[in-house]
């Protein structure tokens, strides 16, 4: 290497050395430390400025709470709710141990900290900025500040204000004042703000009477009031709140606030059933509860958000029709029950819903004896069987799917089936042989007659002919909740659960020519200062073919004209000349009885449910808990309570008074008003009285027959088949079947009908 090259190399090394030294001088530990200190000083300075700028505001959260106003469809006032359900109590009025349950649940270091959890707040700020949701780890002081001075918005600005105000409040106020403010402003669910209201709502006592177990539940509630309310909680919610309850008590032991031995003996106490707010007695409470639930579901808002007030909600309830429904239930049912003289009458619960099939609006609703006496609405409960009111759904599926019998004959209203009781269904991989009422055999009958008389064996076979999966699919399309139901023949007897609201929607869809009708309680809803909410469409798509829906309607007019609803409905005052379709139903062991019927412009479903009004021992020696399903038989001083009795009486009375101009059915079907039942050649015995069909309480275990019983099929026609064409079986014929003229046997009692028994002296 020459001298020139050496000098160039030396210069390059010098430059690298200078550059390296410069970097080291730029990033020395002193400079890094200084930068960090500078950032800290800037942060401290910014916080100091923030601390000076942000002042503790006047408490305003409670002052902004407003009432919620409910109106009838005509704009008249229905109810006013939403006033703050809160009564401030001093900390001295809350037992010391109960006070500590809240500290143990939310902030064990409360008595020693300075009002702020810096780690939790920092975590909350990071979560907010990154969009990961709500913060965790707030102290009791911070939660009180949020409840009383600020709001629940999840923003960086609000969280920083919460931090500053919490520090100042902790300096200015005692821990007792802060704890009192916290438990008095917190929301506990059930519309209760503050511990006093919560104590009344959940345990029916004042806060000063609470014990540790009860206090631990109320403290646990604050984490998720709606989810942890035992009355409405899911199984998972109940498990979570019990876990939280144990967590609170265990923390008290850890803090030496509760003796470990005493803790071991403590048991979770289930809160009482919710009670309505004052002013919501009678049917108003049920209507308000249904409207509120609809708005909360649509807007996806919590109880606390809704109870903040400012809502004006107009319901579809027609004030005059509502009054008529209440009068009808009173005149046709409650006035005939002797709840003092006959304890059985205390078990009778009524529910009803009336719907406009053209708009889907709920015109009237009866939920029970009133929220103060019965918290569950019988109009929307769906834990009782709809029984034979499900049979029109089976026929709708058959007609819509153009299904055929086992003999490859298309199912129509004229198709003949074997109505023999306990006849095994054919074509099912599961043995099923339902019993007709009184185990009565009918022989060969048309579908029309089977609907009129509600013959179980016919519709069990029809369900298999259609395919139970298709039957349930049709039920879902019409508006029934069939999620999770097994597609088995037993479902043909209406053994699933359903509500009057649900069944009114199903029949309204039939009345609306197969276009889906979803009953809607709310007409409009608007929160003050905001636009009206967007409600879901009550009228939906065509879910079954019009001719199928209209044909079912045609068949159901036969139930009124010549079937199980004839006495109560067709012969009712004011209805003799009206076009009416409907179906009766009575469930297994007579635990429910129904009539769901419609005119061209109004659909109403009425259900009676047997619910034990008090705990007792049954005739079989088994314990019956309060609220358990029990038979209605004997209620009203009579015998069996049938769909053609009290329910049909209520329906007829209400419809006659409330229907206005009923209009006429516009049916796209060649069945006419209904397939005319054949004229009987034999006069029924005057000693035999029709009885109601019921869902049998057992399923036959005999295998299916090897072949389908013979039957003839004709196209739908208003002209009845010739009596001589009707094959008969050994049992004597029913007058509405097509009897063999040569058979002179006495006509039997109607086993499948829903008409009242002769021993029910109160049925009309």
């Amino acid at each position: 290497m020459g001298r020139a090259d050496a000098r160039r190399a030396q210069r390059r090394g010098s430059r690298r050395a200078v550059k390296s030294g410069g970097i080291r001088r730029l990033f020395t530990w002193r400079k890094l430390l200084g930068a960090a200190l500078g950032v800290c000083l800037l942060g401290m300075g910014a916080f100091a400025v923030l601390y000076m700028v942000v002042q503790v505001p006047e408490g305003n959260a409670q002052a902004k709470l407003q009432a919620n106003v409910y109106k009838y469809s005509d704009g008249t006032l229905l109810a006013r709710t939403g006033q703050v359900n809160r009564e401030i109590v001093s900390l001295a009025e809350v037992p010391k141990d109960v006070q500590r349950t809240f500290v143990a649940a939310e902030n064990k270091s409360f008595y020693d900290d300075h009002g702020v959890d810096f780690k939790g707040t920092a975590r909350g700020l990071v979560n907010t900025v990154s969009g990961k949701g709500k913060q965790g780890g707030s102290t009791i002081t911070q939660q009180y500040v949020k409840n009383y001075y600020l709001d629940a918005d999840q923003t960086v600005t609000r969280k920083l204000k919460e931090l500053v105000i919490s520090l100042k409040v902790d300096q200015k106020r005692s821990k007792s004042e802060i704890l009192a403010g916290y438990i008095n402003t917190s929301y506990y669910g059930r519309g209760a703000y503050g511990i006093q209201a919560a104590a009344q709502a959940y345990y029916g006592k004042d806060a000063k009477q609470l014990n540790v177990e009860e206090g631990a539940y109320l403290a646990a509630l604050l984490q998720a009031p709606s989810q942890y309310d035992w009355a409405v909680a899911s199984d998972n919610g109940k498990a979570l709140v019990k876990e939280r309850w144990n967590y609170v008590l265990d923390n008290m032991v850890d803090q030496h606030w509760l003796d470990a031995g005493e803790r071991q003996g403590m048991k979770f106490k289930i809160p009482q059933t919710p009670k309505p707010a004052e002013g919501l007695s009678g049917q108003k409470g049920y209507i308000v509860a249904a409207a509120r639930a609809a708005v909360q579901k649509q807007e996806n808002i919590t109880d606390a958000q809704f109870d903040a007030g400012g809502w004006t909600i107009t319901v579809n309830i027609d004030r005059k029709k509502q009054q008529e429904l209440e009068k009808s239930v009173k005149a046709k049912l409650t006035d005939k029950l002797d709840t003092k003289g006959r304890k059985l009458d205390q078990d009778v619960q009524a529910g009803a819903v009336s719907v406009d099939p053209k708009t889907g609006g709920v015109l009237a609703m009866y939920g029970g004896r009133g929220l103060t006496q019965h918290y569950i609405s019988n109009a929307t409960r769906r834990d009782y069987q709809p029984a034979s009111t499900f049979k029109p759904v089976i026929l709708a599926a058959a007609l819509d799917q153009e299904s055929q019998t086992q003999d490859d004959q298309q199912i129509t209203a004229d198709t003949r089936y074997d109505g023999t009781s306990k006849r095994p269904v054919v074509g099912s991989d599961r043995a099923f042989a339902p019993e007709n009422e009184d185990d009565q055999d009918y022989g060969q009958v048309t579908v029309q007659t089977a609907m009129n008389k509600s013959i179980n064996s016919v519709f069990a076979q029809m369900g298999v002919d259609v395919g139970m999966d298709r039957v349930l699919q049709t039920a879902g399309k019409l508006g029934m909740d069939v999620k999770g139901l097994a597609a088995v023949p037993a479902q043909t007897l209406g053994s699933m659960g359903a509500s009057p609201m649900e069944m009114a929607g199903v029949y309204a869809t039939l009345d609306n020519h197969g276009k889906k009708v979803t009953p809607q309680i709310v007409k409009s809803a608007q929160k003050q200062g905001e636009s009206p909410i967007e409600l879901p469409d009550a009228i939906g798509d065509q879910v079954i073919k019009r001719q199928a829906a209209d044909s079912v309607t045609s068949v159901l007019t036969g139930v009124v004209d010549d079937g199980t609803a004839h006495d109560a409905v067709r012969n009712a005052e004011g209805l003799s000349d009206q076009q009416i379709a409907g179906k009766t139903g009575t469930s297994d062991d007579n635990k429910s009885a129904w009539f769901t019927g419609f005119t061209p412009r109004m659909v109403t479903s009425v259900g009676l449910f047997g619910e034990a009004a008090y705990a007792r021992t049954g005739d079989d020696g088994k314990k019956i808990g309060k609220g358990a399903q029990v038979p209605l038989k004997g209620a009203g001083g009579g015998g069996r309570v049938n769909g053609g009795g009290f329910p049909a009486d209520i329906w007829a009375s209400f419809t006659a008074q409330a229907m206005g101009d009923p209009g006429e059915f516009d049916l796209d079907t060649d069945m006419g008003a209904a397939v005319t039942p054949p004229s009987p050649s034999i006069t029924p015995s005057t000693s035999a009285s029709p009885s109601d069909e019921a869902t049998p309480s057992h399923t036959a275990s005999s295998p299916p027959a090897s072949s389908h019983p013979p039957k003839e099929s004709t196209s739908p026609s208003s002209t009845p088949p010739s009596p001589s064409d009707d094959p008969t079986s050994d049992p004597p014929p029913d007058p509405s079947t097509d009897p063999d003229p040569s058979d002179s046997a006495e006509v039997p009692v109607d086993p499948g009908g829903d008409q009242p028994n002769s021993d029910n002296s109160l049925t009309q």
Side-chain angles (χ1 to χ4, degrees):
M1 179 184 296
R3 293 180 179 177
D5 291 335
R7 285 195 297 270
R8 283 195 295 271
Q10 185 177 8
R11 285 195 297 269
R12 285 196 298 269
S14 298
R15 284 196 297 269
R16 284 197 295 269
V18 170
K19 185 176 181 180
S20 176
I23 293 174
R24 284 197 297 270
R25 288 194 297 270
L26 182 62
F27 290 97
T28 61
W29 66 270
R30 292 185 180 88
K31 289 186 177 182
L32 290 173
L33 180 59
L37 289 174
V39 171
C40 290
L41 289 173
L42 286 173
M44 293 172 63
F47 185 80
V49 172
L50 183 66
Y51 190 89
M52 290 185 290
V53 171
V54 175
Q55 301 298 317
V56 178
E58 293 293 329
N60 55 25
Q62 299 300 312
K64 291 182 178 179
L65 293 176
Q66 305 172 61
N68 290 318
V69 178
Y70 298 82
K71 298 179 179 180
Y72 286 107
S73 60
D74 62 2
T76 57
L77 183 66
L78 167 65
R80 187 186 302 273
T81 68
Q83 296 290 351
V84 182
N85 180 22
R86 177 174 58 88
E87 180 182 350
I88 296 294
V89 294
S90 67
L91 203 60
E93 295 179 72
V94 181
K96 189 69 174 180
D97 287 342
V98 174
Q99 297 175 32
R100 287 170 169 168
T101 61
F102 291 85
V103 178
E106 299 292 332
N107 181 194
K108 290 189 293 183
S109 64
F110 169 71
Y111 291 110
D112 301 314
D113 64 31
H114 295 290
V116 172
D117 178 359
F118 285 97
K119 290 183 179 179
T121 301
R123 182 169 60 251
L125 287 169
V126 172
N127 289 343
T128 298
V129 171
S130 61
K132 293 183 178 179
K134 297 181 179 180
Q135 73 179 72
S138 293
T139 65
I140 283 177
T141 305
Q142 287 176 274
Q143 292 183 60
Y144 165 58
V145 166
K146 180 183 67 176
N147 291 342
Y148 190 68
Y149 295 104
L150 300 172
D151 53 42
D153 289 344
Q154 297 297 315
T155 64
V156 173
T157 300
R158 204 276 296 160
K159 292 180 186 299
L160 289 173
K161 285 183 178 179
E162 175 187 301
L163 184 69
V164 173
I165 295 172
S166 297
L167 288 170
K168 291 187 174 183
V169 166
D170 187 73
Q171 292 176 343
K172 294 180 178 179
R173 296 195 175 184
S174 68
K175 291 294 186 180
S176 294
E177 290 177 307
I178 294 171
L179 182 58
Y182 171 66
I183 63 176
N184 275 304
T185 58
S186 295
Y187 180 70
Y188 297 77
R190 299 191 183 182
Y193 289 87
I195 191 171
Q196 172 66 13
Q200 287 290 344
Y202 289 92
Y203 294 108
K205 60 176 65 175
D206 292 330
K208 62 184 178 183
Q209 298 172 315
L210 292 170
N211 58 35
V212 175
E213 295 96 323
E214 294 163 344
Y217 176 76
L218 296 182
L221 270 177
L222 296 182
Q223 189 176 64
S226 297
Q227 184 182 5
Y228 290 172
D229 183 347
W230 196 266
V232 297
S234 63
D235 290 341
N236 183 57
K238 290 178 179 180
L240 289 174
V241 75
K242 288 189 74 172
E243 180 180 332
R244 181 74 172 170
W245 180 81
N246 282 304
Y247 167 82
V248 172
L249 295 177
D250 291 340
N251 277 351
M252 291 186 70
V253 173
D254 292 341
Q255 295 296 115
H256 305 292
W257 294 335
L258 180 64
D259 180 75
E262 185 180 356
R263 161 70 182 95
Q264 291 299 319
M266 291 181 173
K267 295 182 179 180
F268 183 83
K269 181 179 179 181
I270 296 176
Q272 66 181 13
T273 301
K275 295 181 178 179
E278 292 183 3
L280 296 182
S281 59
Q283 301 310 303
K284 289 183 179 180
Y286 296 122
I287 296 170
V288 166
R292 171 189 176 128
V295 171
Q296 286 190 239
K297 180 180 180 180
Q298 183 65 20
E299 293 297 283
N300 192 27
I301 57 177
T302 65
D303 288 341
Q305 289 172 315
F306 185 86
D307 287 333
W311 285 97
T312 297
I313 299 172
T314 301
V315 296
N316 282 309
I317 298 292
D318 182 294
R319 185 165 53 91
K320 293 182 179 179
K321 286 181 172 58
Q322 180 66 30
Q323 292 171 351
E324 292 297 341
L325 180 57
E326 294 177 27
K327 289 179 182 178
S328 296
V329 174
K330 184 176 187 300
K332 297 300 181 179
L333 177 67
T334 56
D335 282 353
K336 296 180 178 182
L337 298 176
D338 183 3
T339 55
K340 293 183 179 179
R342 286 189 299 268
K343 288 188 175 182
L344 181 62
D345 287 2
Q346 297 176 22
D347 297 338
V348 180
Q349 294 288 341
V353 172
S354 186
V355 173
D356 183 336
K358 302 305 179 187
T359 67
V362 176
L363 302 173
M365 188 174 85
Y366 188 89
R369 297 170 184 169
L371 276 175
T372 55
Q373 300 180 58
H374 193 258
Y375 185 73
I376 297 174
S377 173
N378 296 322
T380 56
R381 70 185 304 167
R382 55 182 321 277
D383 52 338
Y384 281 82
Q385 297 178 5
S388 289
T389 59
F390 185 72
K391 284 174 176 151
V393 176
I394 303 172
L395 179 57
L399 298 177
D400 189 55
Q401 299 289 332
E402 299 182 2
S403 300
Q404 296 181 335
T405 68
Q406 299 291 311
D407 296 337
D408 298 325
Q409 303 296 316
Q410 185 169 335
I411 298 173
T412 70
D414 277 344
T415 303
R416 296 171 183 273
Y417 274 92
D418 184 351
T420 302
S421 182
K422 296 181 182 178
R423 182 182 64 79
V425 297
V426 179
S428 172
D429 58 1
R430 183 172 301 199
F432 187 56
E435 178 181 341
N436 293 332
E437 174 67 11
D438 295 332
D439 197 20
Q440 187 64 52
D441 295 328
Y442 280 90
Q444 293 292 315
V445 293
T446 64
V447 169
Q448 177 70 62
T449 296
M451 186 70 78
N452 290 359
K453 305 304 178 184
S454 206
I455 303 173
N456 289 333
S457 56
V458 170
F459 286 93
Q461 183 62 58
M462 188 187 297
V464 172
D465 292 347
V466 177
M468 284 308 300
D469 55 341
R470 291 185 174 185
V471 170
L472 293 183
Q473 286 173 6
T474 300
K477 291 178 182 179
L478 292 173
M480 295 190 72
D481 183 359
V482 296
K483 184 178 180 180
L485 289 181
V488 295
Q491 302 288 10
T492 60
L493 304 180
S495 57
M496 70 291 290
S499 69
M501 182 80 79
E502 193 172 338
M503 297 311 295
V506 170
Y507 280 59
T509 300
L510 296 174
D511 198 359
N512 198 34
H513 311 297
K515 290 193 72 174
K516 177 69 175 296
V517 178
T518 302
Q520 195 166 87
I521 186 73
V522 175
K523 183 178 181 180
S524 65
Q526 183 176 12
K527 186 173 175 63
Q528 186 176 25
E530 299 180 7
S531 300
I533 70 171
E534 184 176 347
L535 295 169
D537 292 331
I539 305 299
D541 298 330
Q542 193 82 31
V543 292
I544 63 172
K545 290 177 288 192
R546 171 168 181 164
Q547 190 170 50
D550 287 359
S551 296
V552 174
T553 295
S554 171
V555 169
L556 292 182
T557 63
V559 177
V560 175
D561 293 338
D562 189 60
T564 57
H566 182 271
D567 288 350
V569 178
R570 174 51 67 212
N571 292 339
E573 182 179 355
L575 298 180
S576 59
D577 298 327
Q578 304 302 331
Q579 291 189 353
I580 300 170
K583 185 69 185 76
T584 51
T586 306
S587 71
D588 184 19
D589 292 334
N590 200 197
K591 291 177 181 177
S592 65
W594 299 73
F595 182 72
T596 302
F598 53 98
T599 65
R601 297 178 181 174
M602 191 169 72
V603 181
T604 305
S605 180
V606 180
L608 253 62
F609 312 121
E611 179 188 282
Y614 56 94
R616 57 185 184 267
T617 301
D619 295 337
D620 56 1
K622 295 182 179 180
K623 298 288 185 180
I624 299 175
K626 182 179 179 181
Q629 293 190 15
V630 294
L632 290 161
K633 186 176 181 180
R640 184 179 183 80
V641 175
N642 306 302
F646 290 129
D649 286 341
I650 294 170
W651 188 97
S653 174
F654 166 67
T655 302
Q657 298 300 319
M659 67 179 173
D661 179 7
E664 295 184 356
F665 287 123
D666 177 21
L667 303 180
D668 180 11
T669 173
D670 55 6
M671 293 183 184
V675 175
T676 305
S679 301
S681 61
I682 303 171
T683 303
S685 169
T686 57
S687 62
S689 59
S691 61
D692 190 0
E693 113 293 340
T695 304
S697 57
H698 66 277
T699 301
S701 58
S702 56
S706 59
S707 63
H708 191 60
K711 52 181 173 286
E712 300 175 9
S713 177
T714 61
S715 60
S717 170
S718 60
T719 303
S722 170
S724 62
D725 293 335
D726 180 34
T728 57
S729 55
D730 293 338
D734 182 85
S736 62
T737 65
D738 305 319
D740 188 326
S742 64
D743 193 335
S744 60
E746 182 181 54
V747 177
V749 173
D750 167 25
D754 277 305
Q755 295 172 338
N757 282 340
S758 59
D759 60 350
N760 188 345
S761 60
L762 290 182
T763 44
Q764 301 293 306

